[in-house]
Amino acid sequence: MAGAASKSLRQDIDHVSLGNEEWNPWEADEKNEQIASQQRYENNIKMIKNARSHLEQTNLRVQIWGKAAIGLYLWQHIFDGHLEPADVTAPWREESQKAGKTYFSFITGPSVVPGYFSVEAENVVLVLNGREKAKITYATQWLHYAQTLIQTHKIQHVAVVLLGNEQCNNEWIQPYLKRHGGFVNLLFVTYDYALVNEEDIFQWPLGVATYRNFPVVEPSWSMLHDPRSYLCNFLGTVYKNSSRETLMEILKQDGLDKLCWIAAREQWQPQETNESFKNYQDALLQSDLTLCPVGINTECYRIYEACSYGSLPVIEDVMTPGDCGNSSMYHSAPLQLLKTMGAPFIFIKNWKELPAVLEKEEKMSLQEKIQRRKKLIEWYQNFKAWMRQKFVNTLENSFLPSDKG
């Protein structure tokens, strides 16, 4: 019925004449639509062809050589990547993924030795440990290997992700940078290194202690919503004459150690037992706040590990001795990367401020704490995504041929 009505309406309109010409409002539209449709189709084909050729021109292949534990933070936490085999003790582990215009492959493990694996990309990211003399000697061997590959035209570009020295004594790597006549295009380095310039030297987050197999933590409903048994936690080494001693005294004086999970030891232990590591994870999960006193550097793994479990870091916001500090780009050291990214932490200058912080904490409702946890976990996820984006963009801007001129 509706079809018949529209047909008769069409006939009526067909017979309306405008001046001497018959007017068919459909005909012109149909023709125009046909032409427009054809044009759209052709444009789309052209666009797809252009995009394909553009992709072929600009696709970047990058191989990451993970020769320091911080490489696992880059790959598994920031890139959200997996590794095969899953066994952390395997001599060779690898995986790949696409990000931006770049195809990344990651290799790690003791079997990754200079000259004994296939170099599968013209662009290499070397992840190295430059924290102390012995590590620097090992890192230098890798840099020399990369230099040979550059000289023999096996690879074109090199970036370095460096676990820097805790006092920012990183002078040894300077001669390897392109700006000083070397071959390293980009340097991503941990801690508040004063030479960060956002051109070829960038600050990189310390991240979690992947060398102790700290996991990628998926937030659960209970992690976000359950009441936590402790106001705060500190499990760590208390060095003689350090601010950590002050912290312990303040906690004991006010009886605050009864409200917090405190386990202090006098000597640092690089290797966790399964039990001590489980205790530590439980403490993060069961505490609203995680106390982060300075060590050799203000930045510590604990900050990122607390974020993983939705326990808000309380940070002793003071510079430590050494050469770390403000750069020409940033003026908020220590922890300028985290501060620039708007980390929602509690920053204090002195542990004497802690009783007031904990008093306020006791008055907070569970609902307020839930909101804060959600905000912290969301911030941390965004932070990692932003670091990934920045890393990819920086590599692409540096390694891809420029479109200009």
Side-chain angles (χ1 to χ4, degrees):
M1 187 71 191
S6 66
K7 193 177 175 189
S8 77
L9 179 67
R10 173 83 184 260
Q11 284 167 342
D12 287 347
I13 294 176
D14 276 352
H15 288 103
V16 174
S17 57
L18 209 67
N20 295 330
E21 293 171 15
E22 273 208 338
W23 179 55
N24 177 354
W26 274 271
E27 194 174 21
D29 281 357
E30 280 162 3
K31 273 187 185 153
N32 288 344
E33 183 49 43
Q34 262 182 330
I35 293 163
S37 174
Q38 184 63 26
Q39 272 178 337
R40 273 202 302 274
Y41 173 72
E42 283 168 12
N43 287 344
N44 282 343
I45 292 291
K46 210 179 281 181
M47 205 166 72
I48 290 164
K49 276 183 182 162
N50 286 348
R52 274 194 190 139
S53 68
H54 186 64
L55 275 174
E56 279 154 22
Q57 287 161 13
T58 59
N59 249 6
L60 198 60
R61 292 184 81 83
V62 173
Q63 193 174 30
I64 304 173
W65 303 346
K67 294 313 298 177
I70 195 173
L72 296 176
Y73 185 68
L74 165 68
W75 188 253
Q76 294 180 308
H77 294 252
I78 286 181
F79 269 72
D80 203 17
H82 298 281
L83 283 172
E84 290 295 330
D87 176 10
V88 296
T89 61
W92 176 283
R93 303 173 76 200
E94 65 182 310
E95 196 50 79
S96 55
Q97 66 165 278
K98 185 122 177 354
K101 298 171 185 168
T102 307
Y103 177 82
F104 287 95
S105 57
F106 181 91
I107 56 171
T108 192
S111 291
V112 180
V113 177
Y116 289 88
F117 64 93
S118 67
V119 178
E120 288 171 5
E122 292 187 324
N123 308 286
V124 166
V125 175
L126 247 178
V127 188
L128 300 171
N129 184 337
R131 190 169 265 195
E132 60 205 41
K133 233 180 186 144
K135 303 289 187 190
I136 291 169
T137 304
Y138 181 69
T140 306
Q141 292 169 4
W142 275 98
L143 285 164
H144 288 164
Y145 175 58
Q147 189 169 25
T148 305
L149 293 177
I150 288 269
Q151 287 163 347
T152 53
H153 306 290
K154 301 272 195 321
I155 61 175
Q156 285 185 346
H157 303 106
V158 175
V160 170
V161 175
L162 182 67
L163 176 65
N165 173 274
E166 286 175 284
Q167 295 176 322
C168 295
N169 303 326
N170 303 313
E171 285 67 35
W172 66 275
I173 200 159
Q174 289 297 322
Y176 294 97
L177 302 186
K178 212 157 195 174
R179 63 163 57 229
H180 297 302
F183 62 93
V184 173
N185 301 71
L186 303 166
L187 173 65
F188 300 86
V189 59
T190 58
Y191 305 119
D192 295 291
Y193 190 38
L195 295 181
V196 164
N197 57 19
E198 292 290 323
E199 288 169 23
D200 61 339
I201 305 176
F202 303 83
Q203 189 167 350
W204 192 250
L206 179 63
V208 302
T210 48
Y211 72 92
R212 288 202 298 244
N213 301 320
F214 192 91
V216 176
V217 180
E218 294 299 335
S220 63
W221 192 91
S222 63
M223 187 197 293
L224 290 169
H225 295 88
D226 285 0
R228 299 192 172 192
S229 313
Y230 301 93
L231 282 190
C232 71
N233 77 76
F234 174 69
L235 282 70
T237 315
V238 177
Y239 304 103
K240 283 264 174 271
N241 305 318
S242 71
S243 68
R244 296 181 178 203
E245 282 194 330
T246 314
L247 170 59
M248 290 300 124
E249 282 162 22
I250 286 166
L251 285 168
K252 283 189 184 115
Q253 265 168 23
D254 296 36
L256 297 170
D257 54 345
K258 310 259 188 313
L259 305 171
C260 296
W261 183 331
I262 307 296
R265 57 186 180 213
E266 286 178 14
Q267 274 197 314
W268 183 69
Q269 294 167 314
Q271 294 308 319
E272 293 278 354
T273 63
N274 283 346
E275 191 189 357
S276 69
F277 188 52
K278 171 90 173 68
N279 266 349
Y280 175 59
Q281 287 176 294
D282 284 347
L284 296 176
L285 190 53
Q286 288 299 323
S287 310
D288 290 311
L289 306 174
T290 292
L291 308 181
C292 302
V294 300
I296 299 170
N297 194 286
T298 313
E299 189 174 6
C300 59
Y301 298 116
R302 187 180 281 110
I303 295 169
Y304 300 88
E305 292 164 349
C307 289
S308 301
Y309 281 102
S311 182
L312 190 75
V314 179
I315 295 192
E316 185 181 3
D317 187 16
V318 297
M319 282 304 303
T320 47
D323 295 329
C324 301
N326 290 325
S327 64
S328 59
M329 302 299 294
Y330 300 108
H331 312 287
S332 55
L335 306 176
Q336 45 200 13
L337 177 62
L338 293 169
K339 288 174 182 170
T340 303
M341 287 300 295
F345 305 160
I346 296 172
F347 293 94
I348 62 178
K349 292 291 180 193
N350 192 305
W351 288 114
K352 289 175 185 164
E353 299 170 46
L354 184 62
V357 169
L358 294 182
E359 197 180 320
K360 190 177 168 193
E361 201 63 24
E362 279 190 289
K363 291 175 184 162
M364 276 181 84
S365 68
L366 177 60
Q367 205 47 48
E368 287 172 312
K369 288 178 178 180
I370 289 168
Q371 288 313 112
R372 186 177 66 186
R373 273 178 226 162
K374 286 180 177 173
K375 183 182 165 190
L376 175 63
I377 284 173
E378 188 181 359
W379 173 83
Y380 184 49
Q381 286 173 335
N382 289 339
F383 171 76
K384 289 186 288 185
W386 185 82
M387 288 311 303
R388 175 186 177 206
Q389 196 58 52
K390 184 176 181 181
F391 185 74
V392 172
N393 289 351
T394 304
L395 291 185
E396 288 178 353
N397 290 340
S398 176
F399 293 177
L400 281 174
S402 171
D403 292 337
K404 293 168 201 158

